[in-house]
Amino acid sequence: EVSKNAAQLANYKDVWIFAEQRTGKVQNVAFELLAAGKELAEDRGCKLCAVLLGYKVSHLAQELINHGADLVYVLDDPNLGEYEADTYTDALDKLIQKHKPEIILAGATAIGRSFIARTAARVHTGLTADCTGLSIDKESFLLHQTRPAFGGNIMATIVTPHHRPQMATVRPGVFQQGEPDPNRKGKTLFEQLEIVTRELELIRSIRKEDEEGDIAEAEVIVAGGRGMMKGENFVLLEELAKLLGGSVGASRPCVDAGWVPVSRQVGQTGKTVAPKLYLAFGISGAIQHLAGISAADYIIAVNRDERAPIFGIANLGIVGDVMDVLPALIDVVKKTKAGN
Ligand code: FAD
């Protein structure tokens, strides 16, 4: 019997966020989750806690407190030194069994996606992936987990009434992080749990060159679509991105055609981005693409078809051929940078 009765449900308290760290650096998505979690904890009248897993990561706890955590559970263990789904699942599962959180939020990153679903299955609860809205219902006190459904055509609100914890993932860039307060006080609880030993032996890890300049974190994105016509033309986007200190993004057909790696894909099945400036070259503006850029501050679109849907959401539209506009733009930026 996995469904819980009211008395059992009442044993679960507090909002947890999974504080993803990589190579000893807390990922921005963790701060974004803390900002979202803070509101939930206030509405629920409970604590906001962060879960920090890794090896030699204890010093990161204060950063999480500065961003709003009241309590940080730290599991500092050599077995958690390199990410592995089995050990992370086991660690979070055991923390859940021990402390019974009511809500857990995690980033829909490669790591979050791979072990949060396993954890949810392990503790027999549901999981809503890629939420774009989270709130506490004023009457039922349930977590309302809202996400696009049917290709973004409707928004679905999902609840987990009979199981705990209520679990959800959120893509990086969907929520905004708050200002950290370096004087904020919170508690750190060092846990020592017997977790499963690693099944895999890690020989070495190599950072993929492409991970540099992750589009999910970029302030400027220069993106290309099928209108770029061939993969070789992406060098122009790379040149402009470099000049603007940004990263190159792409629509799905460009990934399918092998012009760019999948890590560059923006949209519903790619990444959600939140740059200050998004430049779209030869992208029509299909709903699945737009789903990934709704948090962009300013969108400039270049398309030769004046009726292209991208112009409906762009702050500035340029009707023209990318092969005319791009070189001209590169030229202007170069001249401006040179002070001419
Ligand atoms: P097109 O729609 O073919 O548009 C090309 C545009 O370039 C046109 O507007 C054209 O006028 C313009 N153009 C052509 N030549 C030039 C030129 N020389 N100069 C200027 N303009 C030019 N798509 C994504 O991007 N991301 C996703 O995550 C994603 N997920 C999906 C998930 C599902 C379940 C489905 C069904 C689809 C998904 N798609 C996604 C695909 C999406 O529906 C569109 O097919 C895709 O976004 C179109 O890409 P595009 O705009 O580059 O190409």
Side-chain angles (χ1 to χ4, degrees):
E1 176 50 50
V2 292
S3 210
K4 294 184 165 56
N5 63 35
Q8 287 169 320
L9 293 181
N11 285 332
Y12 287 77
K13 287 200 173 59
D14 294 341
V15 175
W16 283 15
I17 69 105
F18 169 62
E20 181 171 331
Q21 59 81 23
R22 289 190 194 196
T23 56
K25 187 175 177 296
V26 177
Q27 301 297 292
N28 278 341
V29 69
F31 300 134
E32 293 159 15
L33 293 175
L34 282 170
K38 204 170 174 183
E39 286 182 24
L40 300 178
E42 271 165 22
D43 288 350
R44 191 70 184 99
C46 69
K47 283 201 293 289
L48 174 62
C49 310
V51 175
L52 182 59
L53 307 180
Y55 184 44
K56 298 189 175 157
V57 291
S58 307
H59 61 286
L60 301 175
Q62 185 59 43
E63 236 183 302
L64 299 166
I65 292 170
N66 295 350
H67 276 268
D70 301 310
L71 172 63
V72 183
Y73 294 104
V74 180
L75 201 51
D76 208 306
D77 186 312
N79 263 321
L80 298 168
E82 290 284 346
Y83 170 75
E84 198 201 310
D86 280 344
T87 49
Y88 266 52
T89 304
D90 199 48
L92 187 56
D93 175 18
K94 290 196 169 127
L95 284 172
I96 294 170
Q97 310 281 3
K98 187 169 172 192
H99 298 287
K100 299 193 168 23
E102 192 177 23
I103 292 170
I104 302 183
L105 311 179
T109 60
I111 288 181
R113 282 182 204 272
S114 88
F115 93 100
I116 288 292
R118 290 172 198 237
T119 310
R122 190 84 73 88
V123 299
H124 302 294
T125 191
L127 173 71
T128 307
D130 298 343
C131 291
T132 52
L134 293 167
S135 61
I136 300 287
D137 182 65
K138 297 241 162 4
E139 275 170 29
S140 64
F141 297 113
L142 287 172
L143 177 67
H144 275 194
Q145 309 156 43
T146 303
R147 56 154 297 152
F150 297 107
N153 290 311
I154 62 160
M155 297 302 282
T157 297
I158 294 160
V159 289
T160 312
H162 306 302
H163 301 82
R164 290 292 177 274
Q166 302 165 84
M167 293 179 66
T169 65
V170 179
R171 290 187 188 190
V174 168
F175 293 123
Q176 273 201 339
Q177 54 175 283
E179 273 299 310
D181 171 3
N183 301 318
R184 206 170 168 275
K185 301 258 180 307
K187 272 211 258 179
T188 305
L189 209 75
F190 294 96
E191 292 283 350
Q192 274 178 337
L193 297 171
E194 188 91 2
I195 53 169
V196 290
T197 44
R198 310 168 63 88
E199 294 257 323
L200 301 172
E201 187 196 346
L202 185 84
I203 297 166
R204 90 192 142 118
S205 59
I206 304 166
R207 196 179 160 85
K208 264 205 328 211
E209 218 172 275
D210 191 60
E211 276 177 18
E212 317 239 334
D214 180 3
I215 52 168
E217 311 257 320
E219 295 209 333
V220 175
I221 295 176
V222 180
R226 189 148 38 196
M228 290 302 296
M229 292 170 298
K230 51 184 177 181
E232 291 84 74
N233 291 340
F234 267 70
V235 293
L236 291 170
L237 300 179
E238 275 156 27
E239 190 178 354
L240 183 59
K242 209 166 180 185
L243 283 165
L244 298 173
S247 298
V248 172
S251 65
R252 190 162 97 172
C254 308
V255 175
D256 292 345
W259 298 349
V260 286
V262 67
S263 57
R264 302 273 137 202
Q265 184 180 320
V266 175
Q268 188 188 319
T269 41
K271 289 189 174 156
T272 302
V273 295
K276 293 204 167 93
L277 176 62
Y278 189 82
L279 291 132
F281 291 92
I283 294 178
S284 60
I287 187 151
Q288 295 86 358
H289 188 83
L290 302 185
I293 60 172
S294 56
D297 285 346
Y298 200 87
I299 298 172
I300 299 178
V302 181
N303 197 303
R304 66 179 176 197
D305 176 6
E306 62 180 17
R307 289 161 303 144
I310 189 97
F311 288 135
I313 62 141
N315 300 85
L316 178 70
I318 301 171
V319 179
D321 193 299
V322 289
M323 297 315 282
D324 295 331
V325 179
L326 245 178
L329 202 55
I330 289 171
D331 211 37
V332 170
V333 176
K334 268 189 188 157
K335 283 193 177 132
T336 313
K337 286 193 110 176
N340 294 329

